[in-house]
């Protein structure tokens, strides 16, 4: 009897080992085999997102626009702030772990109502030329700044894309730096900074379906209308997802892709991520291991911080009602993200570390873009449009792109991936800059470091194109 059990165990042991070796073999083959190019899905370049009866009736002109904080809106905002109810005090010893600390909110609200200088901030926001133009049924807003540089300095078009809960405001500190010639570079950027449809001054769709690929089409049409057939792109947060999508579906159009939240989520990168959980040095440099591993802390982080995403992807209109109705609600909901996403440890600070790198005015400017345009609901619907069966059926994350790509990776960015994972999709990852500082809203938080990196990246993209041109000859 004993020997029989022993033999059975041996056989079982052998079988399990054989299966494991086989599985690892298949996994390794899968990771290393040459990618089979997948076809890029076609997206209708004229898909209509506005009211049907306006189709064919909108003009294509580019109209100057300026931000207006009108007296009626300010009066209403002040009266809502003034007439707020008393908020429940935080629990003893709690900072931002339960969300926005209510001991902090009165200070912010009285600053907003009494000290934030609406007319001065309006002038500030209008320091750059703003425009609107109708594209596929939607009035699309953008800032466009042309550099003032000598004739011999090349002007390079760059599309800058913000995310949630940000806005074009995130780029205000970087725009003057990007549009100026920097030492060591013989080019400067003409920047085009659109509001995502449904965000700030850009209209939202009237029917479902406007996700990242559809916004990519709109932004490409915008650039074409401004006279650019090919251009560079940069993005963070949703802007990073839209940029990744544009590089994937318009590889002939995008000259280079700079991202401060570059991630890939395909079967190969996922497999590598899991292999790395046991053999980290196989997928990434030793000194960065704690940015991704252990996976248990990544999953814990997602569980603790991503409730908003699930909510917005499923019931954006419900959460949209209180946030539309209450400035206090909108402030708490949005600023909480500027606290934790700038630095994870800010959660343990009673003031949320909000003024660590941002001033009250900077954060309220961004908030005003949401409040004054009443866009919080349409901005949150973007989650629902990107997390659904149809959006994942495009399989864009499994399609590789040859567009030269550069990742800027801040210390406290929400996700970090090493180049070995990123290259499963971005086959021409030219380089990645790993920062020991900074968080999610990088252009806003560290505009100089951000700008320097964009210049470095675009110089490398230009060299990449030069080299490829030469090898083609
Ligand atoms: C707001 O700013 C403007 C322009 O700088 C200034 O003239 C005005 O006095 C300020 N208002 C308040 C209430 O401080
Ligand atoms: C990539 O970055 C590394 C580290 O910063 C640097 O040494 C290298 O020269 C860079 N390569 C390119 C092509 O910029």
């Amino acid at each position: 009897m004993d020997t029989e059990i022993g033999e059975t165990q041996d056989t079982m042991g052998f079988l399990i080992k054989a299966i494991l070796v086989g599985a690892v073999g298949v996994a390794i083959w899968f990771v290393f085999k040459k990618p089979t190019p997948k076809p890029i899905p076609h997206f209708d370049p004229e898909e209509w997102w506005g009211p049907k009866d306006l189709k064919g009736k909108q003009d294509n002109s580019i109209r100057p626009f300026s931000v207006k904080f009108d007296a009626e809106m300010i009066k209403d905002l002040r009266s809502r702030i003034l007439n707020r109810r008393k908020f429940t005090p935080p629990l003893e010893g709690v900072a931002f772990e339960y969300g926005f600390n209510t001991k902090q909110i009165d200070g912010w609200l009285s600053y907003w109502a009494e000290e934030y200088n609406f007319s001065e901030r309006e002038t500030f926001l209008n320091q750059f030329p703003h425009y609107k133009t109708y594209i596929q049924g939607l009035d699309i807003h953008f800032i466009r700044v042309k550099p003032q540089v000598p004739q011999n300095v090349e002007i390079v078009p760059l599309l800058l894309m913000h995310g949630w809960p940000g806005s074009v405001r995130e780029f205000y500190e970087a725009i003057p730096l990007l549009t100026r010639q920097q030492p060591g570079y013989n080019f400067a950027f003409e920047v085009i900074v659109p509001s995502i449809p449904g965000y700030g001054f850009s209209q939202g769709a009237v029917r479902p379906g406007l996700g990242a690929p559809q916004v990519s089409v709109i932004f490409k049409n915008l650039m074409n209308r401004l006279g650019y057939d090919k251009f560079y792109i940069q993005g963070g947060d949703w802007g990073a997802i839209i940029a990744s999508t544009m590089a994937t579906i318009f590889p002939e159009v995008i000259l280079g892709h700079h991202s401060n939240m570059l991630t890939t989520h395909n079967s190969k990168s996922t497999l590598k991520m899991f292999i790395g959980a046991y053999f980290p040095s196989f997928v990434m440099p030793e000194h960065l291991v704690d940015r991704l591993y252990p996976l248990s802390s990544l999953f814990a982080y997602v569980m603790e911080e991503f409730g908003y995403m699930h909510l917005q992807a499923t019931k954006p209109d419900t959460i949209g009602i209180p946030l539309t109705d209450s400035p206090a609600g909108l402030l708490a909901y949005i600023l909480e993200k500027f606290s934790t996403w700038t630095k994870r440890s800010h959660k343990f600070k009673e003031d949320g570390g909000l003024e660590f790198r941002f001033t009250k005015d900077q954060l309220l400017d961004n908030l005003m873009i949401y409040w004054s345009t009443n866009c919080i609901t349409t901005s949150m619907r973007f989650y629902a449009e990107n997390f659904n069966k149809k959006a994942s059926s495009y399989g864009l994350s499994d399609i590789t792109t040859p567009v030269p790509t550069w990742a800027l990776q801040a210390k406290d960015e929400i996700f970090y991936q090493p180049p070995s994972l990123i290259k499963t999709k971005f086959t021409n990852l030219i380089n990645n800059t790993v920062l020991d500082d900074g968080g999610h809203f990088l252009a806003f938080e560290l505009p100089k470091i951000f700008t320097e990196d964009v210049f470095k990246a675009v110089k490398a993209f230009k060299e990449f194109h030069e080299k490829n041109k030469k090898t083609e000859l």
Side-chain angles (χ1 to χ4, degrees):
M1 279 296 264
D2 276 349
T3 42
E4 237 172 73
I5 290 174
E7 272 168 24
T8 316
Q9 279 176 345
D10 280 354
T11 318
M12 284 296 285
F14 174 76
L15 271 177
I16 289 171
K17 273 184 206 152
I19 290 169
L20 275 177
V21 168
V24 170
V26 168
I28 290 172
W29 167 80
F30 184 72
V31 169
F32 287 103
K33 82 182 161 93
K34 274 220 164 305
T36 16
K38 289 206 172 146
I40 299 166
H42 175 76
F43 295 97
D44 179 359
E46 287 168 26
E47 192 162 9
W48 193 258
W49 297 105
K52 284 220 168 76
D53 55 332
L54 292 181
K55 203 165 177 173
K57 291 186 192 142
Q58 287 174 337
D59 76 84
N60 284 354
S61 64
I62 294 163
R63 295 133 35 225
F65 166 79
S66 46
V67 177
K68 190 96 195 74
F69 294 154
D70 67 75
E72 199 57 37
M73 182 267 292
I74 296 167
K75 196 172 145 215
D76 170 78
L77 169 63
R78 284 194 169 128
S79 89
R80 283 169 196 270
I81 291 175
L82 205 64
N83 292 312
R84 66 184 180 273
R85 301 198 346 167
K86 199 172 170 311
F87 299 113
T88 310
L91 292 170
E92 281 176 16
V94 166
F96 265 57
E97 298 94 327
Y98 279 59
F100 199 100
N101 187 314
T102 45
K103 270 194 217 155
Q104 300 294 321
I105 199 158
D106 287 334
W108 277 95
L109 290 172
S110 61
Y111 187 91
W112 195 3
E114 288 149 33
E115 285 174 69
Y116 183 81
N117 186 328
F118 292 90
S119 74
E120 190 186 78
R121 299 318 292 171
E122 183 188 271
T123 307
F124 175 87
L125 290 169
N126 285 321
Q127 70 184 282
F128 304 122
H130 292 249
Y131 305 90
K132 282 187 174 187
T133 189
Y134 284 103
I135 300 177
Q136 298 165 250
L138 301 180
D139 209 5
I140 300 298
H141 159 259
F142 61 98
I143 289 170
R144 181 186 199 180
V145 183
K146 299 184 187 201
Q148 302 297 320
V149 287
Q151 285 249 308
N152 60 341
V153 176
E154 190 192 350
I155 295 179
V156 171
L158 175 68
L159 180 70
L160 293 170
M161 293 173 283
H162 71 84
W164 187 93
S167 65
V168 295
R169 177 64 184 87
E170 289 176 68
F171 295 108
Y172 269 59
E173 285 72 16
I175 289 171
L177 304 174
L178 290 163
T179 52
R180 212 183 287 153
Q181 190 183 5
Q182 299 292 340
Y185 297 94
N186 61 352
F187 61 86
F189 297 103
E190 168 169 347
V191 296
I192 294 91
V193 196
S195 298
I196 298 173
Y199 285 68
F201 314 103
S202 282
Q203 271 181 335
V206 304
R207 66 186 67 82
L210 185 67
Q214 292 77 16
V215 170
S216 299
V217 169
I218 291 177
F219 284 175
K220 174 180 171 281
N221 284 339
L222 170 65
M223 292 302 278
N224 291 164
R225 186 170 296 172
L226 299 180
Y228 290 111
D229 295 333
K230 294 185 180 209
F231 49 89
Y232 293 91
I233 56 177
Q234 199 293 324
D237 194 84
W238 276 126
I241 312 277
I242 299 165
S244 160
T245 308
M246 292 182 86
T248 307
I249 65 182
F250 304 125
E252 307 296 323
V253 168
I254 306 304
L255 292 168
H257 162 216
H258 180 279
S259 175
N260 55 299
M261 199 187 78
L262 189 61
T263 52
T264 53
H265 301 282
N266 54 54
S267 39
K268 278 189 190 178
S269 66
T270 305
L271 184 63
K272 279 193 176 176
M273 185 177 81
F274 282 110
I275 292 175
Y278 296 97
F279 310 103
S281 56
F282 181 73
V283 299
M284 66 198 296
E286 194 83 35
H287 69 286
L288 294 173
V289 166
D290 65 354
R291 291 205 183 181
L292 181 59
Y293 299 116
L295 287 181
S296 56
S297 36
L298 174 67
F299 296 145
Y301 179 70
V302 169
M303 291 305 282
E304 283 168 23
E305 298 295 336
F306 279 63
Y308 85 99
M309 181 182 273
H310 198 168
L311 183 58
Q312 292 173 197
T314 52
K315 311 286 177 202
D317 287 24
T318 306
I319 178 65
I321 292 168
L323 301 186
T324 298
D325 206 44
S326 159
L330 188 72
L331 180 139
Y333 197 73
I334 288 183
L335 292 200
E336 181 220 291
K337 299 292 172 248
F338 279 86
S339 160
T340 343
W341 291 356
T342 298
K343 213 174 178 51
R344 290 180 193 200
S345 59
H346 281 171
K347 192 161 148 169
F348 306 110
K349 293 194 158 195
E350 191 158 315
D351 64 359
L354 282 164
E355 290 173 271
F356 166 62
R357 287 268 167 73
F358 303 119
T359 64
K360 281 198 168 74
D361 281 345
Q362 282 182 304
L363 293 175
L364 289 177
D365 287 345
N366 179 62
L367 204 60
M368 277 301 290
I369 291 180
Y370 280 82
W371 182 264
S372 68
T373 61
N374 199 353
C375 75
I376 189 65
T377 301
T378 50
S379 76
M380 296 189 297
R381 282 181 188 157
F382 198 48
Y383 288 77
E385 303 303 1
N386 284 301
F387 296 108
N388 57 53
K389 275 206 184 107
K390 188 164 174 232
S392 49
S393 76
Y394 303 133
L396 295 181
S397 49
D398 288 316
I399 301 174
T400 58
T401 171
V403 170
T405 295
W406 185 291
L408 173 56
Q409 303 179 303
K411 176 100 170 52
D412 278 82
E413 182 51 277
I414 296 173
F415 296 113
Y416 167 81
Q417 282 188 339
S420 66
L421 269 67
I422 294 173
K423 281 179 181 166
T424 59
K425 177 170 173 63
F426 301 98
T427 53
N428 288 315
L429 180 69
I430 306 291
N431 219 339
N432 63 313
T433 305
V434 178
L435 295 183
D436 255 328
D437 194 3
H440 185 66
F441 304 96
L442 201 61
F444 202 19
E445 185 191 347
L446 299 172
K448 249 191 106 206
I449 290 172
F450 171 85
T451 302
E452 280 165 13
D453 201 64
V454 173
F455 267 97
K456 248 200 299 199
V458 172
K459 189 178 180 193
F461 296 155
K462 288 157 99 38
E463 283 163 5
F464 172 90
H465 291 303
E466 271 308 307
K467 206 172 102 210
N468 282 17
K469 221 190 286 168
K470 277 191 197 126
T471 48
E472 271 165 33
L473 289 176

